[in-house]
Amino acid sequence: MKTPLSIAIYSSISELPSNWNDFAIDNIFLSKDYLEILQKSAPTNMICHFIGIYNEGELVGISLSQFLDLNKLESFGERDKCVKNAVRNSFLKNLCSHILIIGNNMLTGQNAYTFSNKIDEVQILLALKTAAQKLKIIFKNKGFKIHITTYKDFPEENLTPFYQAGFKEYFQFSAQPNMHFEIPNHWKSEQDYINALSKKYRDQYKRARKKAEGIEKKKMELADIIQHEESIYDLYYHVAKNAHFNTFFLTKNHFRTFKELLQDKFLFYGYFLDDKLIGFNTIIKNGAVMDTYFLGYDDSIQREKMLYLNMLYDMVAYSINQGFKEIIFARTALEIKSSIGAKPQEMYGFAQHNNPIIDPIFEKIYCYLEPKVEWKERNPFK
């Protein structure tokens, strides 16, 4: 029988072992630099911990946990103006407001943990279960009772170790899919992408580009981000507030902190009309993968200028030109992302409610509060 792994829970980057980054080579979102961004500019209702997993004193895996206090939110999202919205908000406040996440709620994809190939993944998952129990005690001592513990986001081909580690007793859920865009090896420029589009979607591309005439796109450095910080936050907050559902809102200093710590791996593009910032998008270089991040825009101009669609085209063009292999477009706006060539990948999570009475009906409650999104997948290529 294998000896159980031990864990250490850290609350500060300064506490992390010196070889932490050896495990984050293939995922920037578990690196010290990124975790320091969370430490300095996480949402105000979020507390992060960093988990070291050890085998006889040797670091063999690393992980991230996030605690969310939904009681600190003024709004969960204002798009659904209905009784359902009120019911959802009341339920979340009273029975689901304290959530412990093994993973990253600010991103889509498997950013929960990584580990040495000398260790079996089932052992890692059992260690993370132990970590979750210890974190519950930490938060209980601070006056917070954890309502829900959840592990996210994992593709279907990665689920077997979870079943072997006893996660069958958890509610397995799937939210909106992760939209990802694989870039063919023979594409070397944006023109290769345009040439691959069918006539209908090539016409859509031309129409969007024509609509955007007069808009100037600028790569913004740290000084520019700081200069426009108020406008940036207003544009971000407008989009976030009108989303279907939110569990956090970014802090105003989040983007400047990102730029300070990730530098050239974090790209910030502003869109200007008559010298006024009307929109922005952000992308993160993660090895051979380009991860799209948060964006914002003036909604009235966005519609007229097809700004969001143009941002998507710009992200595709940059990624092709720079030789990236894949773009992660994450969740939301599934159909429009599909129309530029992104494909859905189902992502799964595991959740358990702390209340043994509520836990058996948690699946029904979740499905009511977060019904499956109906959308039509597009194929823009010949």
Side-chain angles (χ1 to χ4, degrees):
M1 186 175 177
K2 293 177 181 177
T3 304
L5 304 178
S6 59
I7 56 125
I9 295 173
Y10 307 104
S11 57
S12 172
I13 300 302
S14 62
E15 300 171 354
L16 299 184
S18 59
N19 61 335
W20 180 279
N21 274 353
D22 292 349
F23 293 85
I25 293 170
D26 295 326
N27 190 343
I28 197 172
F29 299 117
L30 286 168
S31 70
K32 286 184 179 181
D33 283 342
Y34 173 76
L35 298 181
E36 189 174 350
I37 293 168
L38 294 182
Q39 184 174 293
K40 291 183 173 180
S41 67
T44 55
N45 71 324
M46 178 184 288
I47 299 172
C48 296
H49 285 90
F50 319 115
I51 304 166
I53 306 170
Y54 293 85
N55 182 27
E56 298 181 348
E58 178 189 357
L59 186 68
V60 294
I62 60 175
S63 182
L64 168 68
S65 78
Q66 295 177 335
F67 165 77
L68 289 174
D69 183 358
L70 301 189
N71 291 317
K72 291 187 176 180
L73 289 182
E74 293 180 10
S75 167
F76 295 117
E78 299 180 1
R79 197 178 73 187
D80 296 336
K81 304 281 189 180
C82 58
V83 173
K84 174 184 169 183
N85 196 38
V87 170
R88 178 187 68 187
N89 291 356
S90 176
F91 179 83
L92 288 169
K93 289 278 188 183
N94 292 299
L95 295 170
C96 298
S97 59
H98 295 158
I99 304 171
L100 177 63
I101 300 161
I102 304 298
N104 194 326
N105 199 48
M106 302 171 73
L107 301 165
T108 303
Q110 206 295 65
N111 299 297
Y113 60 85
T114 183
F115 58 96
S116 166
N117 57 14
K118 302 174 190 174
I119 299 296
D120 184 71
E121 189 167 1
V122 174
Q123 288 181 277
I124 295 291
L125 293 172
L126 291 172
L128 289 177
K129 274 188 171 183
T130 301
Q133 293 303 318
K134 289 192 175 184
L135 283 162
K136 287 180 185 179
I137 295 169
I138 289 171
F139 283 107
K140 184 179 179 181
N141 292 336
K142 293 180 179 181
F144 297 107
K145 180 181 179 181
I146 299 296
H147 295 130
I148 297 168
T149 304
T150 182
Y151 300 72
K152 68 176 286 285
D153 288 310
F154 309 98
E156 188 171 8
E157 60 268 24
N158 290 13
L159 297 183
T160 300
F162 283 88
Y163 304 144
Q164 295 170 342
F167 280 81
K168 287 183 179 178
E169 64 200 55
Y170 286 64
F171 162 49
Q172 181 179 316
F173 63 91
S174 175
Q176 291 186 34
N178 183 14
M179 300 299 288
H180 70 109
F181 187 112
E182 292 188 11
I183 299 173
N185 289 332
H186 64 276
W187 286 4
K188 304 302 178 185
S189 69
E190 182 183 14
Q191 191 58 51
D192 291 325
Y193 166 72
I194 297 167
N195 293 343
L197 295 170
S198 65
K199 183 180 184 305
K200 175 182 175 180
Y201 290 96
R202 197 160 58 248
D203 289 344
Q204 173 183 280
Y205 174 89
K206 291 176 183 176
R207 185 169 65 254
R209 290 314 204 191
K210 187 168 182 60
K211 286 274 190 180
E213 289 177 359
I215 293 177
E216 184 182 3
K217 176 187 173 187
K218 294 181 182 177
K219 182 181 179 182
M220 296 173 67
E221 301 300 338
L222 178 58
D224 305 312
I225 296 169
I226 293 172
Q227 178 188 345
H228 293 278
E229 197 160 72
E230 292 291 334
S231 298
I232 288 168
Y233 193 77
D234 288 344
L235 292 168
Y236 153 74
Y237 189 73
H238 168 76
V239 173
K241 185 181 65 173
N242 288 286
H244 170 60
F245 183 58
N246 285 306
T247 54
F248 65 87
F249 289 94
L250 298 179
T251 55
K252 197 168 289 186
N253 71 333
H254 188 72
F255 296 113
R256 77 154 76 181
T257 306
F258 234 113
K259 192 64 177 174
E260 285 170 348
L261 289 165
L262 286 194
Q263 301 179 21
D264 289 342
K265 291 182 180 177
F266 176 71
L267 301 178
F268 191 109
Y269 288 97
Y271 292 75
F272 293 81
L273 186 62
D274 299 327
D275 295 323
K276 180 186 177 184
L277 183 68
I278 58 164
F280 72 89
N281 67 49
T282 55
I283 50 180
I284 303 163
K285 298 176 181 178
N286 189 11
V289 177
M290 182 66 79
D291 274 80
T292 64
Y293 201 51
F294 290 94
L295 54 75
Y297 49 71
D298 180 318
D299 196 49
S300 59
I301 299 174
Q302 192 284 125
R303 297 184 186 198
E304 176 192 346
K305 295 290 188 176
M306 299 176 75
L307 184 56
Y308 181 66
L309 183 57
N310 276 292
M311 287 181 181
L312 295 178
Y313 286 135
D314 286 344
M315 289 186 270
V316 169
Y318 180 87
S319 300
I320 296 170
N321 292 337
Q322 295 298 315
F324 285 85
K325 303 299 182 187
E326 185 180 2
I327 310 167
I328 302 298
F329 280 111
R331 297 188 167 102
T332 72
L334 306 178
E335 197 155 326
I336 191 170
K337 290 173 181 175
S338 175
S339 78
I340 59 103
K343 295 291 185 184
Q345 180 186 31
E346 289 295 332
M347 304 300 291
Y348 296 88
F350 295 86
Q352 188 174 60
H353 199 284
N354 190 58
N355 187 321
I357 297 173
I358 295 176
D359 190 55
I361 61 169
F362 187 49
E363 180 174 356
K364 291 181 180 178
I365 295 168
Y366 176 88
C367 293
Y368 172 72
L369 296 174
E370 286 296 302
K372 195 167 182 66
V373 175
E374 297 295 331
W375 66 286
K376 186 174 181 180
E377 186 174 352
R378 307 291 180 176
N379 179 16
F381 299 115
K382 294 174 184 175

